[in-house]
Amino acid sequence: QVQLTESGGGLVQAGGSLRLSCAASGGTFGNYAMGWFRQAPGKEREFVATIAWSRSTSYADSVKGRFTISRDFAKNTVYLQMNSLKPEDTAVYYCAAKHTLLVVTSGDDYDYWGQGTQVTVSS
């Protein structure tokens, strides 16, 4: 049973930084695409970033240059470093995984999801 557990969310002032972690268990995740998505109140879930087994990455335009996704294969963990945070980054952030070698940006294509971690950015 694949399980994803996010951590690292919290309250931060605009311009600050947070690092989210997603620990994966129940499988071998070297050949999984790992992604981060977010959902703000009253809005649909949106893609944030993804990283493939090759460490190829893709980012939403809204976070390019501010967020960095990375992965540690030995720890089965994916990170999302978020810098220069803005109030519009406020959302619940979800980690997702899919068994594929490809870069995957659509949430509908992911098979496994974490429970989410709240990120709140105050102005």
Side-chain angles (χ1 to χ4, degrees), residues 6-45:
E6 302 97 334
S7 61
L11 173 64
V12 64
Q13 288 188 332
S17 298
L18 283 174
R19 188 176 81 155
L20 305 183
S21 299
C22 172
S25 61
T28 302
F29 294 90
N31 52 358
Y32 275 67
M34 304 294 293
W36 286 98
F37 293 77
R38 67 187 181 187
Q39 187 167 20
K43 295 187 176 182
E44 293 188 353
R45 181 184 63 199

Side-chain angles (χ1 to χ4, degrees), residues 14 18 21 41-43 45 49 62 72 74 76 78 80-81 102 113 117 121:
L18 283 174
S21 299
K43 295 187 176 182
R45 181 184 63 199
S62 59
D72 184 329
N76 278 345
V78 176
L80 185 68
Q81 178 66 45
L102 303 176
W113 292 85
T117 184
V121 184

Side-chain angles (χ1 to χ4, degrees), residues 9-122:
L11 173 64
V12 64
Q13 288 188 332
S17 298
L18 283 174
R19 188 176 81 155
L20 305 183
S21 299
C22 172
S25 61
T28 302
F29 294 90
N31 52 358
Y32 275 67
M34 304 294 293
W36 286 98
F37 293 77
R38 67 187 181 187
Q39 187 167 20
K43 295 187 176 182
E44 293 188 353
R45 181 184 63 199
E46 65 174 352
F47 166 72
V48 175
T50 185
I51 186 166
W53 73 275
S54 62
R55 290 195 169 94
S56 295
T57 59
S58 181
Y59 295 91
D61 288 343
S62 59
V63 306
K64 279 181 182 176
R66 300 189 299 121
F67 291 10
T68 303
I69 189 170
S70 61
R71 67 192 299 172
D72 184 329
F73 288 103
K75 296 181 178 180
N76 278 345
T77 300
V78 176
Y79 304 98
L80 185 68
Q81 178 66 45
M82 306 186 295
N83 298 328
S84 302
L85 282 161
K86 305 174 181 180
E88 51 264 44
D89 294 318
T90 295
V92 177
Y93 283 70
Y94 297 91
C95 175
K98 178 176 178 61
H99 188 194
T100 181
L101 299 180
L102 303 176
V103 172
V104 181
T105 60
S106 172
D108 292 342
D109 292 333
Y110 279 87
D111 300 315
Y112 305 101
W113 292 85
Q115 293 300 307
T117 184
Q118 176 71 47
V119 171
T120 303
V121 184
S122 62

